[in-house]
Amino acid sequence: MRRVKRSSPTSPAAAAAAAAALLVAFSALAGLCDAGKTSTFVRKDEKAVDMPLDSDVFRVPPGYNAPQQVHITQGDHDGSAIIVSWVTPDEPGSSLVLYGTSENHLTFSAEGRVHQYKYYNYTSGYIHHCNIRNLKYDTKYYYAVGVGHTLRKFWFTTPPKVGPDVPYTFGLIGDLGQSFDSNRTLTHYESNPIKGQTVLFVGDLSYADNYMYHDNVRWDTWGRFTERSAAYQPWIWTAGNHEIDFAPEIGEGVPFKPYKNRYHVPYKASGSTAPFWYSIKRASAYIIVLASYSAYGKYTPQYKWLEAELPKVNRTETPWLIVLMHSPWYNSYNYHYMEGETMRVIYESWFVKYKVDVVFAGHVHAYERSERISNIAYNIVNGQCNPVPDQSAPVYITIGDGGNQEGLAKNMTEPQPKYSAFREASFGHAIFDVKNRTHAYYSWHRNQDGYSVEADTLLFYNRFWHPLEESSASV
C-alpha cells in the first residue's frame, strides 16, 4: 500500500475553514439525494392495445363443461387453507375439489358452492368457490376440478408455517387489464429468475367497465388470461375503482357485483365485515388490505376494524407489516393526484405509530418509490405542511403499471418532490423478497428489459427489528 505523507499541523482557523467546506460539500450531496431521481429511460410512445377476443391467452379449455378461469387465494388467516374458484360454462356440474400430495393420488376432497349472477344483459357461467382447510404447511398439493365432466388438474404450494425468520417471496402487480402490455407484464413476472410465490395484487383487474354496458364477457376473458398464474399460486386481491361497476343508468345500482361474485377472500377470518378490507399472515409477513372505495372515515366499519387490527400485529411472530391499497397516498404524477389524501389524513399516524414497513398501491399507471416520510404534524393552523423524513414511516410504492388499455401516466409534477426517491413511466412488476426478520430485497422490473434486469432496487431494513435508514440509491 502506498504511504501517505503526513501534513504539518494546520491553524485552528484553517481547520475550521476546511471543516466548513466539507460540510457544504456533504450538504450539496445530501441535497442531490433528497431531490430523488426521475428515470431517463424513455419507453416507446405507443398506445396500450387490448388483445382481441380470439387471442390464445383467452382460449376456452377443450372438453364439455370444462372448468375455466381457475384461481386460488389464501383461505384463512394463517395460510393453512386455500380458496379454489372456477367457472363452468354449460351447467353447474360438480363443486367438488379433489386434492392430495401426489399428482396421481388425489386422496382428499372438499365440497364447494356454486352460483350465478346477472349484470344488465349478461348472465355469468356457474361460479364455484371451495375452501380447502387444514392443509400442511410448506407442502406441494395437486388438485383437480371438473369432476364428472372434464377434469382439469393444477397444483400449488402452501406457505411455510408463520414465523419471524421465514423467507418468502412476493410478486407485486397492479392495474393489469388485458392488453398486449398486460400479457408482457404477466410473462415478465412468470419469467423472473427471482420466483414469486404469491402475488399481491393492488387492484383494477379486468377493466370490463371500460367497455359498453360494462361488458362482463371481459371478466371471463381476464379470468382465462390470468389462470396460467393464478391457478398455481395465490393472488391476494385488493379492490380498485374499476371493480366498482356501479351503473344505475343501466339498472346496476349495487357496487362491486362482478368482483364480489368472482373473487372471494378470507375476510371473516380477520374479523372484517366486508371482503374489501381484511388481513392475512403469510410466512413472516402480516398483510393488511384496505379499501380505497369503501367508507373509511371515523366510526365506519373499515375504520373501526383497522383501529382494532393494527394492535394485534405481533412483530415477534410476523416482523414484516405490509399494507395494500389501490389509491396511493404519495404520488408525484399529475394523474389521480391527491385522490388518496383524505384516507392519508385519517390513517397515516397509525402507520407511523405501528411502524408499517411498506405500502403498495396502484391506480396511477406508472412506477414510483418514496423515501420514508410522513406528514402527520400538519394540523391546518401550524404551517407544518410538508412531508418530512421519518424512519418510523413506511416506504410508499406505486405499482399501477400492469399494462391496461388506458396506457401510461407520463405527465409528472415538476420539480420532483423530495419525498419521491425514484419514478418512471413504464409498465412492469415488482418483487418483495423477504430474507429474515431484519432484511428484505425489493426490485422493480420494467417490461422492456431482460427478465433478470432490475430497474430499481432497495434493500429494506425492518422497521421493528432493524430500523436503520436505507440507501435510496437506484440501480
Side-chain angles (χ1 to χ4, degrees):
M1 179 180 292
R2 182 182 176 185
R3 297 188 66 184
V4 179
K5 184 179 179 180
R6 297 184 65 184
S7 60
S8 58
T10 57
S11 68
L22 193 60
L23 181 61
V24 170
F26 276 126
S27 298
L29 286 173
L32 287 173
C33 291
D34 287 345
K37 177 179 178 182
T38 297
S39 173
T40 57
F41 180 86
V42 179
R43 180 188 182 274
K44 185 178 179 181
D45 193 5
E46 56 187 8
K47 187 179 179 181
V49 178
D50 270 350
M51 295 177 284
L53 290 172
D54 60 355
S55 298
D56 287 347
V57 296
F58 299 147
R59 184 174 59 249
V60 175
Y64 177 73
N65 210 35
Q68 58 173 264
Q69 307 173 51
V70 181
H71 58 272
I72 61 175
T73 193
Q74 186 158 312
D76 66 352
H77 202 240
D78 297 329
S80 64
I82 283 285
I83 299 173
V84 181
S85 303
W86 71 97
V87 175
T88 50
D90 304 307
E91 60 174 282
S94 172
S95 291
L96 199 67
V97 177
L98 307 178
Y99 66 99
T101 55
S102 171
E103 184 175 8
N104 298 317
H105 294 88
L106 305 180
T107 53
F108 304 103
S109 64
E111 185 71 43
R113 295 182 178 181
V114 61
H115 68 278
Q116 286 182 295
Y117 75 92
K118 294 184 178 181
Y119 190 97
Y120 187 53
N121 60 358
Y122 168 90
T123 300
S124 74
Y126 300 91
I127 303 171
H128 304 253
H129 300 285
C130 179
N131 199 336
I132 306 175
R133 297 179 174 86
N134 300 316
L135 298 170
K136 296 178 181 178
Y137 289 106
D138 205 14
T139 302
K140 186 173 184 178
Y141 282 93
Y142 299 87
Y143 71 99
V145 292
V147 175
H149 289 140
T150 301
L151 200 69
R152 296 187 67 203
K153 292 183 179 181
F154 306 88
W155 55 263
F156 61 84
T157 300
T158 54
K161 189 175 181 179
V162 170
D165 289 306
V166 178
Y168 202 77
T169 306
F170 295 98
L172 277 302
I173 299 176
D175 299 69
L176 187 58
Q178 42 197 305
S179 72
F180 288 101
D181 288 292
S182 312
N183 193 33
R184 293 185 189 103
T185 297
L186 191 51
T187 300
H188 222 65
Y189 170 68
E190 294 167 317
S191 304
N192 194 321
I194 306 174
K195 294 301 179 186
Q197 297 166 275
T198 290
V199 170
L200 305 180
F201 193 88
V202 294
D204 282 2
L205 286 67
S206 71
Y207 286 79
D209 64 335
N210 276 1
Y211 299 86
M212 185 173 290
Y213 306 124
H214 295 231
D215 185 3
N216 274 223
V217 169
R218 281 294 184 173
W219 276 104
D220 294 319
T221 54
W222 196 82
R224 293 196 293 270
F225 162 52
T226 54
E227 180 187 272
R228 72 196 206 210
S229 173
Y232 297 93
Q233 62 176 254
W235 285 36
I236 308 304
W237 303 109
T238 308
N241 57 297
H242 284 278
E243 278 69 74
I244 298 174
D245 276 307
F246 177 70
E249 69 277 9
I250 57 173
E252 293 296 341
V254 178
F256 299 102
K257 184 195 283 188
Y259 174 77
K260 280 181 64 177
N261 277 278
R262 293 170 182 270
Y263 294 92
H264 281 193
V265 297
Y267 67 96
K268 292 180 181 179
S270 58
S272 171
T273 55
F276 311 116
W277 60 89
Y278 62 100
S279 71
I280 61 169
K281 293 187 283 189
R282 197 164 186 90
S284 50
Y286 202 104
I287 299 163
I288 292 177
V289 178
L290 295 182
S292 299
Y293 303 97
S294 299
Y296 49 75
K298 198 167 186 179
Y299 309 123
T300 62
Q302 183 171 195
Y303 178 99
K304 294 173 72 174
W305 176 83
L306 184 60
E307 185 179 34
E309 181 70 9
L310 284 166
K312 295 178 183 177
V313 182
N314 180 358
R315 303 296 281 272
T316 62
E317 178 192 50
T318 49
W320 293 95
L321 181 50
I322 300 169
V323 175
L324 310 181
M325 63 180 66
H326 187 64
S327 185
W329 291 357
Y330 288 97
N331 162 36
S332 69
Y333 291 80
N334 287 321
Y335 303 86
H336 306 302
Y337 185 64
M338 292 186 74
E339 284 184 18
E341 184 67 3
T342 52
M343 182 182 260
R344 182 197 66 76
V345 169
I346 296 170
Y347 292 155
E348 187 180 19
S349 61
W350 292 354
F351 284 18
V352 174
K353 176 181 178 180
Y354 292 101
K355 295 180 171 25
V356 172
D357 290 291
V358 59
V359 176
F360 293 104
H363 203 35
V364 178
H365 299 164
Y367 172 73
E368 186 167 21
R369 172 174 56 83
S370 81
E371 304 286 3
R372 290 196 183 277
I373 41 87
S374 70
N375 194 10
I376 58 177
Y378 179 49
N379 66 7
I380 300 179
V381 298
N382 63 6
Q384 299 178 36
C385 56
N386 291 320
V388 297
D390 189 338
Q391 290 306 305
S392 293
V395 171
Y396 293 90
I397 294 177
T398 300
I399 191 77
D401 54 354
N404 67 82
Q405 65 168 199
E406 292 180 346
L408 283 167
K410 297 179 181 179
N411 191 338
M412 304 175 185
T413 60
E414 298 294 350
Q416 184 173 3
K418 289 185 177 181
Y419 64 73
S420 175
F422 183 86
R423 60 185 185 177
E424 179 177 314
S426 288
F427 292 132
H429 73 277
I431 297 288
F432 193 78
D433 189 11
V434 175
K435 303 297 185 182
N436 50 40
R437 74 181 69 190
T438 58
H439 292 76
Y441 184 74
Y442 169 80
S443 56
W444 174 66
H445 305 257
R446 68 169 76 91
N447 288 353
Q448 284 70 30
D449 292 334
Y451 296 133
S452 61
V453 175
E454 299 169 333
D456 182 42
T457 64
L458 185 66
L459 182 63
F460 271 78
Y461 299 138
N462 185 271
R463 291 302 92 190
F464 183 86
W465 287 100
H466 196 61
L468 300 181
E469 183 173 357
E470 302 104 333
S471 168
S472 64
S474 178
V475 176

